[in-house]
Amino acid sequence: MKFSFRALLSGVAFLIVLQACKQNAGKKTELDGFMSGTAVFGADESFSPIIDEELYIFKAAFPDANPVLQYKAEADVVNDLMNDKYRVAILPRTLDTTELGILKRRSLTADTIRFAIDAIALIVNQASNDTLISVNEIKSMLNGRSKTDKNIVFDNPNSSLVRYLKTLSGNNGLKQKNIYALSSSKEVIKYVSTHPNSIGITGFSWLNDPDKDYADAVDKVKIVGVRNEDSKTAPNQYFKPSQETLVQHTYPLSRALYIIDCTGRKGLGAGFASFLASERGQRIILKSGLLPDSIPPREINIIH
């Protein structure tokens, strides 16, 4: 009988693979807990200022919890959610029937919690004399029917803001020669701060307590008052975005913010959602200048 060195190597390799399989089989996949572990979430980059604030306090309160946020344009966040790259997303809309159907085919449901309301703000350069605009004028401007010579700028083409503007105007293209998509909300604010002949459209959350890298630009722009001609209560009045005008529904350009948990269990997604909806999480929203979904009660200490 001849000794086969190749056969010996094959046998050793087989034993090594077999042992590795046994070791892996003995290991259990560590799942994230309600307030512990690591999990990846997708989030609309339009809301990174307020989400980062919430995340900072959440991690400080629960050191064992490690949500990892991937900020992307809304369309990309939804696409990744549908392709199972993560199962928790923070978006300014709920999932539609088609998207819910995709989840259902994977035996998943979407637990959705609304936790804040943001405003769409129109900004102009401090040197501009334009301080008032109506909703119908905005629509005309986006549809190219307005004779304005101003450049209209907003963040990237796949953002939730662009989807909002398309729905508002009924224009799925927004391809007029004076309408430009930049790369981010910061770039919109910086552009308007240096171009007097421009109008920027951005989320209100970017104008409150800005980071140092664009705070100077915020100081060089001003917010335009908006009138809603179809309003039943104040069709002739102009309003600027604020917590007061959002809660009274007098400012016409607003959108809700949701956390959508498709994990089907009480993991870190449910834990973070619970924190956002809690009194502490809602106070962070209130302090940021956005409107919390439920306004926390004020505590008044009376000293006798």
Side-chain angles (χ1 to χ4, degrees):
M1 182 176 63
K2 293 183 179 180
F3 178 78
S4 174
F5 184 69
R6 181 178 294 181
L8 177 60
L9 287 178
S10 299
V12 171
F14 175 76
L15 290 174
I16 292 173
V17 172
L18 182 63
Q19 184 64 25
C21 289
K22 287 181 179 180
Q23 289 176 352
N24 290 333
K27 291 181 180 179
K28 293 183 178 179
T29 302
E30 293 185 7
L31 297 176
D32 50 284
F34 194 68
M35 295 295 180
S36 64
T38 299
V40 178
F41 302 164
D44 187 325
E45 61 191 2
S46 301
F47 299 95
S48 60
I50 183 59
I51 301 303
D52 281 344
E53 285 188 45
E54 294 278 6
L55 193 62
Y56 179 81
I57 302 299
F58 179 76
K59 287 184 174 182
F62 306 100
D64 293 332
N66 183 37
V68 178
L69 270 292
Q70 291 186 354
Y71 288 113
K72 297 182 179 182
E74 179 193 78
D76 296 326
V77 174
V78 174
N79 186 58
D80 286 350
L81 186 67
M82 293 299 102
N83 286 301
D84 208 24
K85 291 187 177 179
Y86 37 69
R87 292 188 178 181
V88 178
I90 299 174
L91 296 166
R93 69 172 179 88
T94 57
L95 299 181
D96 62 29
T97 303
T98 300
E99 292 157 353
L100 290 172
I102 293 173
L103 294 176
K104 187 177 181 180
R105 287 194 290 273
R106 300 209 310 263
S107 301
L108 297 174
T109 57
D111 294 326
T112 304
I113 293 177
R114 189 180 77 168
F115 64 92
I117 298 172
D118 184 31
I120 305 296
L122 275 71
I123 57 174
V124 294
N125 189 279
Q126 283 285 6
S128 175
N129 293 323
D130 296 318
T131 58
L132 301 173
I133 195 169
S134 72
V135 172
N136 283 340
E137 286 172 336
I138 296 171
K139 292 178 181 178
S140 295
M141 191 171 63
L142 294 173
N143 281 295
R145 295 194 298 265
S146 173
K147 294 182 179 180
T148 181
D149 60 346
K150 292 185 176 295
N151 291 327
I152 304 162
V153 294
F154 43 77
D155 57 6
N156 78 72
N158 292 321
S159 73
S160 56
L161 179 59
V162 172
R163 177 184 55 79
Y164 181 96
L165 295 176
K166 287 179 179 180
T167 301
L168 177 70
S169 63
N171 180 357
N172 289 324
L174 300 180
K175 295 180 179 179
Q176 285 72 23
K177 63 180 181 180
N178 65 324
I179 297 180
Y180 302 96
L182 303 181
S183 60
S184 67
S185 297
K186 286 184 182 181
E187 292 304 314
V188 170
I189 297 169
K190 290 178 179 179
Y191 182 91
V192 175
S193 73
T194 57
H195 292 77
N197 196 40
S198 64
I199 298 175
I201 307 177
T202 187
F204 185 51
S205 61
W206 288 90
L207 302 171
N208 290 288
D209 192 23
D211 293 336
K212 292 181 180 180
D213 60 335
Y214 73 104
D216 288 344
V218 172
D219 291 336
K220 296 175 183 177
V221 303
K222 54 187 175 182
I223 299 176
V224 176
V226 181
R227 175 171 69 93
N228 182 11
E229 303 93 322
D230 297 329
S231 170
K232 295 181 180 180
T233 56
N236 298 315
Q237 287 183 265
Y238 292 86
F239 298 93
K240 291 184 179 181
S242 68
Q243 289 173 334
E244 182 180 358
T245 58
L246 286 173
V247 77
Q248 293 177 348
H249 304 289
T250 50
Y251 186 74
L253 309 176
S254 64
R255 53 184 178 172
L257 190 53
Y258 304 87
I259 181 168
I260 303 170
D261 180 7
C262 306
T263 61
R265 59 184 184 82
K266 296 298 181 182
L268 197 52
F272 192 52
S274 178
F275 176 79
L276 292 175
S278 71
E279 182 176 332
R280 191 172 187 181
Q282 292 292 282
R283 285 193 182 280
I284 296 170
I285 300 290
L286 188 66
K287 186 178 179 181
S288 75
L290 274 66
L291 181 66
D293 184 64
S294 58
I295 299 177
R298 293 181 62 184
E299 294 182 1
I300 301 176
N301 294 323
I302 300 176
I303 302 175
H304 296 284

